[in-house]
Amino acid sequence: MENHCYKAYARQIKKIRTVLGKPLTLTEKILYAHLYDPHGLKPCARGEDYANFRPDRVAMQDATAQMALLQFMISGKKESAVPASVHCDHLIRASLGAEKDLETAAAANREVYTFLASACDRYGITFWKPGAGIIHQTLLENYAFPGGMMVGTDSHTPNAGGLAMLAVGVGGADAVDVMTGMAWELKMPRIIGVRLTGELSGWVSPKDVILKLAGLLTVKGATNAVIEYFGTGTRSIPATGKATICNMGAEVGATSSIFPYDSEMELYLQATGRPRLAAQAGAVRDSLQADPEVTAHPANHYDRLLEIDLSGLEPHVNGPFTPDAATPLSRLAAKVREMGYPDRVEAGLIGSCTNSSYQDLDRAASLAIQAKEKNLPVRAQLIVNPGSRMIEHTETVKTLENSGAVIMANACGPCIGQWTRVNSDPARPNTIVTSFNRNFAKRADGNPNTHSFIASPEITVALAIAGSLSFNPLKDRLKNRNGAWVSLDPPQGNRFPPGGFPHVDKGFVPPTGKTGQVTVLPHSQRLQLLRPFPAWNGKDFTGMALLIRVKGKCTTDHISMAGEWLRFRGHLENISDNLLMGAVNAFNGKTNCVLNRESRLYGTVSAVAKEYKSKGIPSIVVAEDNYGEGSSREHAAMEPRFLNVKAILAKSFARIHETNLKKQGLLALTFARPEDYDKIREDDTFALTGLTAFAPHRPLTVTLTHADGTTASFEVNHTCNTVQIGWFKAGSALNANSLSQ
């Protein structure tokens, strides 16, 4: 469907409805329409059965594309089997402003950019240059289309659901499967229906819908599920607002999120130069939304049903330290006092892949204009990351710059830890407010004392103007420079620039196929050719050392930090030095400090793992709930695999990370009884038995040998199907796929 040929789509949906024998949700229509083998159409049980799909497109950002392309290079394929693109938005630091930061990035990352550009040209992939735009905004403006399916090596790929596209964040190995023309496997997701009624107004924005929903679902409440929005309230939300809501579905663990096709999407397609596509999609509108029987009786068709009245919704501020700590703005001041959060807002940051659309920035700019007209100082530093060159070159961005905001490059910047923040006293607790999607400790500036809160761009700017987290613009007033008390009026903003988006060089380079061999220097510190991981030796695992027993939240940021480590995303050996350095050791409460059972001394996680590996000692990682929450970065799976970790044993996993572990030949195991986590001692030796009879739904057994000679055993579960067990036995999915070709 990449050529937007919808002629057969309605007939295809009719056939699916007949075979399944029931009305269809929008999610089901797109999933079944993209089965790898359409002739094998049959009902699949949600949350149980695995299915193979044929996505229309692959998207990669520069940090994850390096490892994905390095894996693709050893697949032996001559070009990508589907349209694909690479977007350089992660490696650009936010420091002095767009122009200087891009110059710095070009020099610092020249080797990586050259590799990505040449590999893209060699394998038929479109290359988007540094500064061209943030991947998900760029995809929405150029590639997303109603009814399509896309995978992307970034967890916020579901942003494209704002244009009724089912888009899923995956690891690089999944992307490689699709680019080599192989089937992409996914457990058929459950479907959570969210009915929206009423209309947004005043200070309330689309961001507040997902901020509220995050509080209802929590960070793992939508794991292995698609969130499908429906109802009269969807029609009043602009396409970019829908994208914002879908984008942050990743923060509740959702596989994807999607809205039905409507006139707002049609307007967006027309405004971004795709009127033909809008007309084609409009002709099959009924196939791009849930069947009427579904919306009339949603409880019969969704696995879980929620409802949000947009007319009664109020602005939310979520945080700190987790995106599901949702607080209505009317209760925020009391919470600040109760919890002792630093009230002074030191920085307000808007943009990122979640809220960098034209309307987002135009509404924010309307508040900046008010501040100037009402003689109000902006008390906090204001930083803006526009979403694309089309947005960057609008009058709105100039207005924000004239108000004193620092305009950074069209890149991720502070949202992923690429922020050079000047802070005279990092030990001092401080508060920032952002319009981003994540606020884990240390994520934005590397400082554990920074309390990061998430809000809409409008609320972020209002709190930056006030310089206070307790300020409620809906009712509070501010004293201006003349000593008068004034109020901020509700923000206003256009969906699109009044004269249309400016015609600018978008910053992409289509492939020519003229590049020959893509070279990687043998002694490079940024890039390293991959070697296949070794296959399983056919035996149970014995003599395993405990590498770390993790306490509490352990996101992919804890497992493989971003920030300064982004420069090693193409060098597996070098980036493995950051393995689990942010995880808290349950035995001493410290980070990056674990017992080396050989020396009886404490060392960094990676150093201890390297010593074990050098001595042929396998190891295991033990963790708590939702292990691997957050980013799609497969480095968090490849690093332990590289350092001879054999299994991750957790109370539960985040979806993308569990798949990434399986793809790299690592065992992702869960406690049959969560309380068995407490049986594990710091110097235990592990045995994992049952592997010689490894089969779906068959538990394995862990036996602990304590230092005093006593033992303890318990069952552990896995979710591997027959194909995934094949990945384990071959050493990785890539190995297994290579053997099958």
Side-chain angles (χ1 to χ4, degrees):
M1 282 184 58
E2 176 63 20
N3 62 358
H4 315 309
C5 181
Y6 288 100
K7 291 182 180 178
Y9 197 61
R11 292 196 302 272
Q12 189 178 18
I13 299 303
K14 183 178 180 180
K15 178 183 177 182
I16 295 167
R17 189 183 295 111
T18 300
V19 172
L20 269 59
K22 67 183 187 70
L24 302 175
T25 65
L26 174 58
T27 301
E28 289 174 313
K29 291 179 180 181
I30 299 176
L31 285 172
Y32 283 100
H34 285 84
L35 288 174
Y36 191 77
D37 177 12
H39 301 293
L41 176 62
K42 63 179 181 180
C44 293
R46 297 179 192 170
E48 296 180 19
D49 293 341
Y50 284 87
N52 291 327
F53 298 98
R54 191 188 299 272
D56 300 298
R57 168 170 285 277
V58 171
M60 298 166 277
Q61 37 91 340
D62 49 353
T64 52
Q66 296 170 63
M67 199 59 72
L69 291 176
L70 286 166
Q71 292 178 85
F72 184 79
M73 287 169 63
I74 61 176
S75 73
K77 296 295 183 179
K78 294 183 178 179
E79 64 178 3
S80 176
V82 300
S85 55
V86 168
H87 304 258
C88 295
D89 65 354
H90 271 55
L91 300 181
I92 304 165
R93 290 202 67 82
S95 181
L96 301 175
E99 184 176 354
K100 292 182 179 179
D101 290 347
L102 283 171
E103 290 176 0
T104 300
N109 303 312
R110 181 173 289 110
E111 180 184 6
V112 172
Y113 291 151
T114 299
F115 165 74
L116 292 174
S118 61
C120 285
D121 191 62
R122 167 69 177 80
Y123 296 113
I125 299 167
T126 301
F127 177 73
W128 288 75
K129 295 184 288 188
I134 301 173
I135 177 172
H136 305 305
Q137 181 65 34
T138 302
L139 292 170
L140 199 71
E141 291 176 357
N142 297 275
Y143 296 136
F145 63 94
M149 175 184 277
M150 175 170 61
V151 297
T153 60
D154 189 281
S155 56
H156 295 104
T157 301
N159 191 83
L163 278 178
M165 187 179 207
L166 198 67
V168 183
V170 299
D174 281 320
V176 170
D177 283 350
V178 178
M179 290 194 294
T180 58
M182 299 192 68
W184 171 58
E185 183 188 66
L186 179 72
K187 181 180 284 187
M188 189 63 73
R190 295 175 294 108
I191 307 175
I192 297 173
V194 179
R195 175 161 47 198
L196 302 180
T197 59
E199 292 187 14
L200 299 174
S201 62
W203 283 93
V204 186
S205 80
K207 182 67 164 280
D208 296 305
V209 176
I210 189 61
L211 292 178
K212 178 179 177 63
L213 193 63
L216 296 175
L217 289 174
T218 77
V219 290
K220 62 177 184 177
T223 301
N224 292 321
V226 171
I227 301 175
E228 181 172 317
Y229 296 87
F230 68 99
T232 56
T234 64
R235 302 169 194 161
S236 66
I237 302 175
T240 54
K242 293 179 170 77
T244 290
I245 295 168
C246 291
N247 177 296
M248 254 194 87
E251 271 48 76
V252 294
T255 299
S256 191
S257 299
I258 196 164
F259 277 83
Y261 185 74
D262 61 13
S263 59
E264 286 292 340
M265 296 184 190
E266 182 179 17
L267 288 173
Y268 186 80
L269 289 171
Q270 292 169 344
T272 52
R274 294 172 283 176
R276 182 166 174 251
L277 171 57
Q280 291 174 333
V284 294
R285 185 182 299 258
D286 290 346
S287 297
L288 299 173
Q289 51 193 236
D291 286 341
E293 298 92 333
V294 172
T295 55
H297 305 285
N300 297 334
H301 301 280
Y302 294 109
D303 297 286
R304 182 176 178 183
L305 185 62
L306 297 168
E307 184 164 337
I308 297 176
D309 177 11
L310 302 182
S311 299
L313 186 64
E314 68 171 295
H316 277 62
V317 178
N318 288 25
F321 307 132
T322 185
D324 60 344
T327 304
L329 190 60
S330 61
R331 303 178 196 165
L332 184 60
K335 186 175 181 180
V336 170
R337 292 191 298 270
E338 177 187 349
M339 302 301 296
Y341 297 144
D343 185 61
R344 179 190 165 206
V345 175
E346 298 188 17
L349 303 101
I350 62 174
S352 86
C353 69
T354 316
N355 280 113
S356 59
S357 71
Y358 176 78
Q359 186 175 39
D360 286 328
L361 300 189
D362 203 39
R363 282 171 63 88
S366 74
L367 294 172
I369 291 171
Q370 282 191 57
K372 188 173 184 179
E373 292 175 344
K374 297 179 180 183
N375 205 18
L376 284 168
V378 180
R379 300 186 182 279
Q381 182 185 25
L382 189 59
I383 293 174
V384 181
N385 282 87
S388 70
R389 286 187 175 179
M390 288 201 318
I391 296 168
E392 175 192 12
H393 291 281
T394 61
E395 288 298 319
T396 290
V397 173
K398 292 179 183 176
T399 297
L400 287 166
E401 186 173 26
N402 291 337
S403 73
V406 178
I407 309 300
M408 298 296 184
N410 308 318
C412 301
C415 187
I416 59 164
Q418 290 285 72
W419 180 22
T420 305
R421 184 182 181 192
V422 178
N423 190 340
S424 58
D425 183 10
R428 173 180 50 81
N430 69 98
T431 286
I432 65 172
V433 182
T434 81
S435 69
F436 304 162
N437 41 46
R438 291 192 178 136
N439 58 347
F440 306 140
K442 301 193 287 187
R443 181 171 173 89
D445 61 0
N447 184 356
N449 297 303
T450 294
H451 294 59
S452 180
F453 294 84
I454 304 172
S456 67
E458 302 92 314
I459 294 299
T460 298
V461 173
L463 297 182
I465 291 171
S468 169
L469 191 62
S470 300
F471 174 67
N472 183 348
L474 280 70
K475 66 180 185 65
D476 296 339
R477 295 186 300 165
L478 297 169
K479 183 182 289 188
N480 69 9
R481 293 186 180 91
N482 300 328
W485 289 93
V486 298
S487 300
L488 290 174
D489 300 321
Q492 303 288 328
N494 295 307
R495 283 164 166 72
F496 314 109
F501 284 107
H503 296 285
V504 295
D505 175 6
K506 291 185 177 181
F508 69 93
V509 181
T512 67
K514 295 180 180 179
T515 298
Q517 184 68 32
V518 179
T519 59
V520 174
L521 298 176
H523 302 295
S524 170
Q525 294 300 301
R526 297 290 300 271
L527 298 163
Q528 182 185 51
L529 293 174
L530 294 176
R531 295 180 180 178
F533 289 128
W536 175 54
N537 65 5
K539 300 177 181 179
D540 287 333
F541 291 147
T542 59
M544 290 190 293
L546 175 66
L547 183 58
I548 183 174
R549 192 180 89 175
V550 178
K551 179 182 178 181
K553 185 186 283 284
C554 192
T555 71
T556 49
D557 279 339
H558 295 92
I559 305 167
S560 177
M561 285 190 176
E564 62 178 287
W565 290 95
L566 284 173
R567 68 186 188 276
F568 295 131
R569 284 287 181 86
H571 199 294
L572 182 55
E573 185 174 0
N574 283 350
I575 199 170
S576 293
D577 286 339
N578 76 4
L579 176 64
L580 285 158
M581 66 186 303
V584 176
N585 183 350
F587 295 107
N588 59 18
K590 297 180 180 179
T591 57
N592 213 21
C593 182
V594 296
L595 177 68
N596 183 330
R597 78 173 192 187
E598 295 299 289
S599 67
R600 310 303 301 175
L601 300 174
Y602 284 84
T604 65
V605 180
S606 63
V608 173
K610 285 179 180 179
E611 181 169 343
Y612 289 162
K613 179 181 179 181
S614 70
K615 294 182 177 180
I617 301 171
S619 58
I620 185 171
V621 171
V622 177
E624 297 200 76
D625 279 309
N626 210 31
Y627 181 82
E629 170 192 345
S631 168
S632 69
R633 70 191 69 158
E634 65 186 331
H635 301 77
M638 297 184 79
E639 291 176 37
R641 181 73 168 100
F642 177 74
L643 293 177
N644 204 31
V645 174
K646 298 298 185 183
I648 310 293
L649 173 58
K651 293 180 180 179
S652 64
F653 288 95
R655 176 194 63 85
I656 298 177
H657 189 63
E658 183 177 18
T659 300
N660 287 347
L661 291 170
K662 294 177 182 179
K663 286 276 185 175
Q664 301 304 331
L666 264 166
L667 292 171
L669 307 174
T670 55
F671 291 96
R673 299 189 326 136
E675 56 267 31
D676 286 334
Y677 168 92
D678 298 314
K679 293 180 179 178
I680 294 164
R681 301 177 188 176
E682 191 170 24
D683 50 3
D684 278 346
T685 298
F686 288 68
L688 180 65
T689 54
L691 290 175
T692 54
F694 198 11
H697 311 297
R698 181 177 293 174
L700 302 172
T701 300
V702 166
T703 300
L704 307 174
T705 300
H706 303 311
D708 60 9
T710 60
T711 63
S713 295
F714 51 84
E715 281 192 346
V716 294
N717 297 325
H718 66 87
T719 60
C720 290
N721 59 24
T722 302
V723 172
Q724 294 167 345
I725 290 172
W727 299 344
F728 165 74
K729 291 180 177 180
S732 72
L734 193 59
N735 291 357
N737 292 341
S738 298
L739 290 171
S740 66
Q741 294 179 19

